[in-house]
PDB file of all heavy atoms in Angstrom:
ATOM      1  N   VAL L  28     -47.806 -48.447 -19.895  1.00 98.00           N
ATOM      2  CA  VAL L  28     -47.749 -48.493 -18.443  1.00 98.00           C
ATOM      3  C   VAL L  28     -47.276 -49.824 -18.019  1.00 98.00           C
ATOM      4  O   VAL L  28     -47.829 -50.900 -18.450  1.00 98.00           O
ATOM      5  CB  VAL L  28     -49.126 -48.167 -17.764  1.00 98.00           C
ATOM      6  CG1 VAL L  28     -49.180 -48.436 -16.282  1.00 98.00           C
ATOM      7  CG2 VAL L  28     -49.571 -46.787 -18.085  1.00 98.00           C
ATOM      8  N   GLY L  29     -46.341 -49.970 -17.156  1.00 98.00           N
ATOM      9  CA  GLY L  29     -45.822 -51.176 -16.623  1.00 98.00           C
ATOM     10  C   GLY L  29     -45.095 -51.994 -17.778  1.00 98.00           C
ATOM     11  O   GLY L  29     -45.487 -53.193 -18.027  1.00 98.00           O
ATOM     12  N   HIS L  30     -44.148 -51.441 -18.366  1.00 98.00           N
ATOM     13  CA  HIS L  30     -43.507 -52.054 -19.532  1.00 98.00           C
ATOM     14  C   HIS L  30     -42.636 -53.196 -19.228  1.00 98.00           C
ATOM     15  O   HIS L  30     -42.170 -53.950 -20.125  1.00 98.00           O
ATOM     16  CB  HIS L  30     -42.731 -50.985 -20.371  1.00 98.00           C
ATOM     17  CG  HIS L  30     -41.727 -50.252 -19.578  1.00 98.00           C
ATOM     18  ND1 HIS L  30     -40.610 -50.849 -19.034  1.00 98.00           N
ATOM     19  CD2 HIS L  30     -41.702 -48.965 -19.180  1.00 98.00           C
ATOM     20  CE1 HIS L  30     -39.893 -49.912 -18.363  1.00 98.00           C
ATOM     21  NE2 HIS L  30     -40.567 -48.734 -18.414  1.00 98.00           N
ATOM     22  N   GLY L  31     -42.340 -53.437 -17.977  1.00 98.00           N
ATOM     23  CA  GLY L  31     -41.485 -54.524 -17.541  1.00 98.00           C
ATOM     24  C   GLY L  31     -40.170 -54.461 -18.330  1.00 98.00           C
ATOM     25  O   GLY L  31     -39.526 -53.388 -18.251  1.00 98.00           O
ATOM     26  N   VAL L  51     -43.695 -46.046 -18.556  1.00 98.00           N
ATOM     27  CA  VAL L  51     -43.783 -45.787 -17.130  1.00 98.00           C
ATOM     28  C   VAL L  51     -43.789 -47.058 -16.392  1.00 98.00           C
ATOM     29  O   VAL L  51     -44.541 -47.984 -16.745  1.00 98.00           O
ATOM     30  CB  VAL L  51     -44.964 -44.958 -16.735  1.00 98.00           C
ATOM     31  CG1 VAL L  51     -45.146 -44.728 -15.334  1.00 98.00           C
ATOM     32  CG2 VAL L  51     -44.985 -43.569 -17.543  1.00 98.00           C
ATOM     33  N   GLU L  52     -42.909 -47.157 -15.417  1.00 98.00           N
ATOM     34  CA  GLU L  52     -42.736 -48.444 -14.716  1.00 98.00           C
ATOM     35  C   GLU L  52     -42.322 -48.149 -13.259  1.00 98.00           C
ATOM     36  O   GLU L  52     -41.443 -47.371 -13.079  1.00 98.00           O
ATOM     37  CB  GLU L  52     -41.712 -49.240 -15.516  1.00 98.00           C
ATOM     38  CG  GLU L  52     -41.172 -50.506 -14.838  1.00 98.00           C
ATOM     39  CD  GLU L  52     -42.253 -51.589 -14.476  1.00 98.00           C
ATOM     40  OE1 GLU L  52     -42.879 -52.020 -15.486  1.00 98.00           O
ATOM     41  OE2 GLU L  52     -42.433 -51.822 -13.344  1.00 98.00           O
ATOM     42  N   VAL L  53     -42.941 -48.825 -12.342  1.00 97.00           N
ATOM     43  CA  VAL L  53     -42.565 -48.650 -10.885  1.00 97.00           C
ATOM     44  C   VAL L  53     -41.347 -49.436 -10.510  1.00 97.00           C
ATOM     45  O   VAL L  53     -40.701 -49.139  -9.453  1.00 97.00           O
ATOM     46  CB  VAL L  53     -43.720 -48.911  -9.901  1.00 97.00           C
ATOM     47  CG1 VAL L  53     -44.665 -47.881  -9.853  1.00 97.00           C
ATOM     48  CG2 VAL L  53     -44.372 -50.258 -10.153  1.00 97.00           C
ATOM     49  N   SER L  54     -41.035 -50.535 -11.173  1.00 97.00           N
ATOM     50  CA  SER L  54     -39.895 -51.335 -10.703  1.00 97.00           C
ATOM     51  C   SER L  54     -38.582 -50.848 -11.327  1.00 97.00           C
ATOM     52  O   SER L  54     -38.464 -50.764 -12.498  1.00 97.00           O
ATOM     53  CB  SER L  54     -40.127 -52.759 -11.241  1.00 97.00           C
ATOM     54  OG  SER L  54     -38.869 -53.393 -11.449  1.00 97.00           O
ATOM     55  N   SER L  57     -36.790 -53.243 -13.531  1.00 98.00           N
ATOM     56  CA  SER L  57     -37.356 -53.383 -14.914  1.00 98.00           C
ATOM     57  C   SER L  57     -36.971 -52.161 -15.770  1.00 98.00           C
ATOM     58  O   SER L  57     -36.710 -52.282 -16.960  1.00 98.00           O
ATOM     59  CB  SER L  57     -38.888 -53.531 -14.855  1.00 98.00           C
ATOM     60  OG  SER L  57     -39.289 -54.605 -14.166  1.00 98.00           O
ATOM     61  N   GLY L  78     -41.599 -44.646 -12.030  1.00 94.00           N
ATOM     62  CA  GLY L  78     -42.531 -44.043 -11.084  1.00 94.00           C
ATOM     63  C   GLY L  78     -43.984 -44.587 -11.398  1.00 94.00           C
ATOM     64  O   GLY L  78     -44.160 -45.590 -12.167  1.00 94.00           O
ATOM     65  N   GLU L  79     -44.940 -43.988 -10.700  1.00 95.00           N
ATOM     66  CA  GLU L  79     -46.282 -44.403 -10.738  1.00 95.00           C
ATOM     67  C   GLU L  79     -47.033 -43.916 -11.971  1.00 95.00           C
ATOM     68  O   GLU L  79     -46.899 -42.709 -12.377  1.00 95.00           O
ATOM     69  CB  GLU L  79     -47.007 -43.836  -9.576  1.00 95.00           C
ATOM     70  CG  GLU L  79     -46.830 -44.582  -8.258  1.00 95.00           C
ATOM     71  CD  GLU L  79     -47.556 -45.848  -8.210  1.00 95.00           C
ATOM     72  OE1 GLU L  79     -48.602 -45.900  -8.959  1.00 95.00           O
ATOM     73  OE2 GLU L  79     -47.155 -46.722  -7.503  1.00 95.00           O
ATOM     74  N   ALA L  80     -47.849 -44.813 -12.588  1.00 97.00           N
ATOM     75  CA  ALA L  80     -48.541 -44.459 -13.699  1.00 97.00           C
ATOM     76  C   ALA L  80     -49.506 -43.254 -13.502  1.00 97.00           C
ATOM     77  O   ALA L  80     -49.617 -42.383 -14.327  1.00 97.00           O
ATOM     78  CB  ALA L  80     -49.395 -45.674 -14.263  1.00 97.00           C
ATOM     79  N   ASN L  99     -50.242 -54.045 -20.724  1.00 98.00           N
ATOM     80  CA  ASN L  99     -50.127 -55.380 -20.971  1.00 98.00           C
ATOM     81  C   ASN L  99     -49.872 -56.202 -19.650  1.00 98.00           C
ATOM     82  O   ASN L  99     -48.908 -55.824 -18.948  1.00 98.00           O
ATOM     83  CB  ASN L  99     -48.935 -55.735 -21.923  1.00 98.00           C
ATOM     84  CG  ASN L  99     -49.234 -55.178 -23.304  1.00 98.00           C
ATOM     85  OD1 ASN L  99     -50.306 -55.187 -23.771  1.00 98.00           O
ATOM     86  ND2 ASN L  99     -48.153 -54.652 -23.915  1.00 98.00           N
ATOM     87  N   PHE L 100     -50.748 -57.022 -19.347  1.00 98.00           N
ATOM     88  CA  PHE L 100     -50.680 -57.897 -18.105  1.00 98.00           C
ATOM     89  C   PHE L 100     -50.458 -57.063 -16.846  1.00 98.00           C
ATOM     90  O   PHE L 100     -49.375 -57.229 -16.174  1.00 98.00           O
ATOM     91  CB  PHE L 100     -49.523 -58.937 -18.336  1.00 98.00           C
ATOM     92  CG  PHE L 100     -49.867 -59.731 -19.557  1.00 98.00           C
ATOM     93  CD1 PHE L 100     -49.401 -59.347 -20.857  1.00 98.00           C
ATOM     94  CD2 PHE L 100     -50.694 -60.804 -19.438  1.00 98.00           C
ATOM     95  CE1 PHE L 100     -49.751 -60.011 -21.984  1.00 98.00           C
ATOM     96  CE2 PHE L 100     -51.063 -61.555 -20.624  1.00 98.00           C
ATOM     97  CZ  PHE L 100     -50.574 -61.145 -21.841  1.00 98.00           C
ATOM     98  N   ASP L 102     -50.607 -56.031 -12.905  1.00 97.00           N
ATOM     99  CA  ASP L 102     -50.809 -56.894 -11.791  1.00 97.00           C
ATOM    100  C   ASP L 102     -52.220 -56.972 -11.387  1.00 97.00           C
ATOM    101  O   ASP L 102     -52.942 -55.977 -11.205  1.00 97.00           O
ATOM    102  CB  ASP L 102     -50.015 -56.175 -10.549  1.00 97.00           C
ATOM    103  CG  ASP L 102     -48.545 -56.116 -10.873  1.00 97.00           C
ATOM    104  OD1 ASP L 102     -48.038 -56.902 -11.614  1.00 97.00           O
ATOM    105  OD2 ASP L 102     -47.831 -55.177 -10.350  1.00 97.00           O
ATOM    106  N   THR L 170     -45.060 -60.456 -25.000  1.00 96.00           N
ATOM    107  CA  THR L 170     -44.312 -59.815 -23.856  1.00 96.00           C
ATOM    108  C   THR L 170     -43.790 -60.944 -22.970  1.00 96.00           C
ATOM    109  O   THR L 170     -44.180 -62.054 -23.171  1.00 96.00           O
ATOM    110  CB  THR L 170     -45.266 -58.901 -23.019  1.00 96.00           C
ATOM    111  OG1 THR L 170     -46.141 -59.802 -22.287  1.00 96.00           O
ATOM    112  CG2 THR L 170     -46.085 -58.024 -23.920  1.00 96.00           C
ATOM    113  N   LYS L 171     -42.938 -60.584 -22.039  1.00 96.00           N
ATOM    114  CA  LYS L 171     -42.395 -61.605 -21.170  1.00 96.00           C
ATOM    115  C   LYS L 171     -43.493 -62.396 -20.487  1.00 96.00           C
ATOM    116  O   LYS L 171     -43.420 -63.613 -20.329  1.00 96.00           O
ATOM    117  CB  LYS L 171     -41.491 -60.905 -20.140  1.00 96.00           C
ATOM    118  CG  LYS L 171     -40.806 -61.837 -19.153  1.00 96.00           C
ATOM    119  CD  LYS L 171     -39.951 -60.994 -18.307  1.00 96.00           C
ATOM    120  CE  LYS L 171     -39.513 -61.815 -17.105  1.00 96.00           C
ATOM    121  NZ  LYS L 171     -38.755 -61.151 -16.136  1.00 96.00           N
ATOM    122  N   TYR L 172     -44.508 -61.654 -19.959  1.00 96.00           N
ATOM    123  CA  TYR L 172     -45.568 -62.339 -19.174  1.00 96.00           C
ATOM    124  C   TYR L 172     -46.475 -63.127 -20.081  1.00 96.00           C
ATOM    125  O   TYR L 172     -46.920 -64.226 -19.768  1.00 96.00           O
ATOM    126  CB  TYR L 172     -46.375 -61.341 -18.347  1.00 96.00           C
ATOM    127  CG  TYR L 172     -45.667 -61.117 -17.049  1.00 96.00           C
ATOM    128  CD1 TYR L 172     -44.585 -60.292 -16.917  1.00 96.00           C
ATOM    129  CD2 TYR L 172     -46.051 -61.840 -15.807  1.00 96.00           C
ATOM    130  CE1 TYR L 172     -43.910 -60.084 -15.674  1.00 96.00           C
ATOM    131  CE2 TYR L 172     -45.434 -61.652 -14.698  1.00 96.00           C
ATOM    132  CZ  TYR L 172     -44.358 -60.821 -14.596  1.00 96.00           C
ATOM    133  OH  TYR L 172     -43.729 -60.661 -13.426  1.00 96.00           O
TER     134      TYR L 172
HETATM  135  C1  LIG Q 401     -47.165 -58.497 -14.490  1.00 90.55           C
HETATM  136  S1  LIG Q 401     -45.960 -57.295 -14.992  1.00 90.55           S
HETATM  137  C2  LIG Q 401     -46.121 -57.141 -16.753  1.00 90.55           C
HETATM  138  C3  LIG Q 401     -44.902 -56.542 -17.416  1.00 90.55           C
HETATM  139  C4  LIG Q 401     -44.973 -56.462 -18.998  1.00 90.55           C
HETATM  140  N1  LIG Q 401     -46.047 -55.494 -19.372  1.00 90.55           N
HETATM  141  C5  LIG Q 401     -45.178 -57.825 -19.578  1.00 90.55           C
HETATM  142  O1  LIG Q 401     -46.308 -58.046 -20.207  1.00 90.55           O
HETATM  143  O2  LIG Q 401     -44.270 -58.582 -19.609  1.00 90.55           O
HETATM  144  C6  LIG Q 401     -46.728 -55.775 -14.412  1.00 90.55           C
HETATM  145  C7  LIG Q 401     -45.828 -54.576 -14.481  1.00 90.55           C
HETATM  146  O3  LIG Q 401     -46.410 -53.387 -14.064  1.00 90.55           O
HETATM  147  C8  LIG Q 401     -45.647 -52.624 -13.234  1.00 90.55           C
HETATM  148  N2  LIG Q 401     -46.540 -51.753 -12.462  1.00 90.55           N
HETATM  149  C9  LIG Q 401     -47.437 -52.148 -11.579  1.00 90.55           C
HETATM  150  N3  LIG Q 401     -48.182 -51.104 -11.162  1.00 90.55           N
HETATM  151  C10 LIG Q 401     -47.760 -50.003 -11.682  1.00 90.55           C
HETATM  152  C11 LIG Q 401     -47.988 -48.580 -11.717  1.00 90.55           C
HETATM  153  N4  LIG Q 401     -48.952 -48.135 -10.837  1.00 90.55           N
HETATM  154  N5  LIG Q 401     -47.346 -47.788 -12.478  1.00 90.55           N
HETATM  155  C12 LIG Q 401     -46.290 -48.251 -13.305  1.00 90.55           C
HETATM  156  N6  LIG Q 401     -46.049 -49.567 -13.404  1.00 90.55           N
HETATM  157  C13 LIG Q 401     -46.684 -50.377 -12.640  1.00 90.55           C
HETATM  158  C14 LIG Q 401     -44.898 -53.716 -12.371  1.00 90.55           C
HETATM  159  O4  LIG Q 401     -43.761 -53.193 -11.805  1.00 90.55           O
HETATM  160  C15 LIG Q 401     -44.649 -54.721 -13.494  1.00 90.55           C
HETATM  161  O5  LIG Q 401     -43.393 -54.501 -14.155  1.00 90.55           O
END
Side-chain angles (χ1 to χ4, degrees):
V28 172
H30 54 68
V51 175
E52 170 58 64
V53 281
S54 152
S57 294
E79 279 287 335
N99 293 322
F100 303 91
D102 294 332
T170 75
K171 180 175 166 185
Y172 275 79

